[in-house]
């Protein structure tokens, strides 16, 4: 896929191979010269790469990015940001890095450039999350959408196949839920359908060859489309349940979304027949049933079906159901504790999702 640039009123996107090389010019456009680099402890090589690219002209780095954006980590990052007198933020990595960049933007107002290396789609959304005392909360701040997004396909070529698959399904969940959102609209549905199509076909190609540049490009584009869905409409059962599982039990973000995706859809299916038809038409091998299509996609990608494998304990299921139902939210199908419990038990046991009665 050819490289290109895309501009909206609040965001600029650079897409293509070697697009990270444009970071110096993007910093200059923003009038910034002292970026703070945000990444995870395992990705400090990104800091070295950016340091070389900027000839050492940066404020410093914060390498303690943590999933689910714990408030204590954000506060430590804020102190470091002020101590080094940074004039902008550059997050590089997965959704957790993007999330910390957003959280710091809200607290500082510093321009935020993000370089996604997975398929989370978070870079396209105004959603700011945090976890405090095992409770994950989110709020929407339209200004929190990063000012610049740099999609460098080359940075995804070393992303392991398993992480590629779970990250891609995490993004796909945004699109699936957008189709039946309470505030759904034709524009969000357009992005959703294209995102689902693109990821459902590109992810298996990546599993066959992680160095497939065309498949990687398609997956990044699909994640972009899916992120636009989450930016445009609200969330329901799928995301609310994943927030409980992630925030309360610290389950890994992308893997949890991947496992819950077909289960949440199966629960809601009786109340969204039109959306189920659209999904079945766009998820390969669905044979008229989108839940079966998603089950087959998980199997093809080699993703575990089991929350137990992620560390959830059997006794945690009751806690998760209670926590989920504490704060009412809109759902196309009324939430019944017994049925949600059954949904989670199947996911915990590693059984494929089954259509609700």
């Amino acid at each position: 896929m050819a490289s290109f640039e895309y501009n909206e009123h609040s965001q600029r996107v650079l897409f293509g191979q070697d697009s990270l090389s444009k970071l110096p010019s993007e910093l200059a456009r923003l009038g910034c010269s002292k970026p703070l680099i945000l990444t995870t402890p395992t990705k400090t090589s990104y800091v070295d790469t950016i340091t070389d690219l900027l000839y050492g002209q940066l404020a410093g780095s914060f390498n303690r990015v943590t999933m689910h954006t714990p408030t204590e980590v954000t506060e430590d990052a804020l102190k470091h940001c002020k101590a080094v007198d940074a004039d902008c933020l550059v997050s590089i990595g997965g959704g957790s890095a993007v999330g910390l960049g957003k959280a710091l933007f809200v607290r500082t107002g510093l321009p935020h450039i993000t370089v996604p290396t997975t398929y989370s789609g978070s870079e396209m959304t105004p959603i700011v999350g945090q976890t405090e005392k095992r409770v994950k909360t989110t709020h929407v701040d339209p200004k929190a959408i990063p000012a610049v997004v740099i999609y460098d396909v080359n940075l995804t070529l070393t992303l392991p196949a398993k992480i590629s698959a779970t990250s891609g399904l995490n993004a796909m969940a945004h699109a699936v839920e957008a189709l039946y959102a309470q505030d759904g609209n034709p524009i969000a549905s357009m992005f959703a359908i294209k995102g689902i199509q693109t990821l459902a076909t590109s992810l298996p190609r990546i599993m066959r060859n992680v160095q497939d540049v065309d498949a990687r490009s398609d997956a990044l584009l699909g994640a972009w489309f899916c992120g636009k869905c989450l930016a445009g409409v609200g969330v329901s059962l799928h995301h609310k349940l994943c927030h409980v599982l992630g925030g309360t039990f610290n389950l890994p973000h992308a893997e949890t979304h991947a496992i819950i995706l077909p289960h949440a859809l199966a629960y809601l299916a009786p109340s969204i027949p039109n959306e189920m038809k659209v999904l079945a038409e766009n998820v390969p091998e669905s044979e008229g049933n989108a839940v079966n299509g998603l089950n087959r996609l998980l199997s093809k990608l080699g993703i575990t079906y089991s929350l137990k494998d992620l560390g959830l304990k059997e006794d945690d299921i009751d806690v998760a159901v209670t926590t989920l139902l504490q704060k009412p939210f809109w759902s196309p199908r009324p939430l019944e504790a017994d049925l949600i419990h059954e949904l989670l038990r199947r996911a915990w046991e590693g059984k494929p999702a089954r259509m609700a009665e």
Side-chain angles (χ1 to χ4, degrees), residues 84-120:
V84 298
D85 194 27
D87 63 5
C88 65
L89 308 164
V90 175
S91 61
I92 181 166
S96 297
V98 182
L100 180 59
K102 291 180 185 178
L104 289 176
F105 167 83
V106 169
R107 290 163 170 81
T108 65
L110 295 177
H112 178 198
I113 297 176
T114 188
V115 187
T117 63
T118 68
Y119 308 125
S120 77

Side-chain angles (χ1 to χ4, degrees), residues 130-194:
Q130 68 174 19
T131 299
E132 185 172 12
K133 296 179 180 179
R134 300 180 66 195
V135 176
K136 185 171 184 177
T137 58
T138 61
H139 73 275
V140 174
D141 184 342
K143 295 180 181 179
I145 296 177
V148 180
V149 180
I150 298 177
Y151 287 117
D152 189 331
V153 177
N154 289 348
L155 297 179
T156 68
L157 295 178
T158 56
L159 189 66
K162 180 180 177 182
I163 298 177
S164 301
T166 54
S167 177
L169 285 176
N170 174 28
M172 190 184 294
H174 308 332
V176 170
E177 196 148 67
L179 289 176
Y180 57 77
Q182 185 180 25
D183 54 350
N185 58 73
I187 304 304
S189 294
M190 176 181 68
F191 279 118
I193 291 169
K194 189 62 178 178

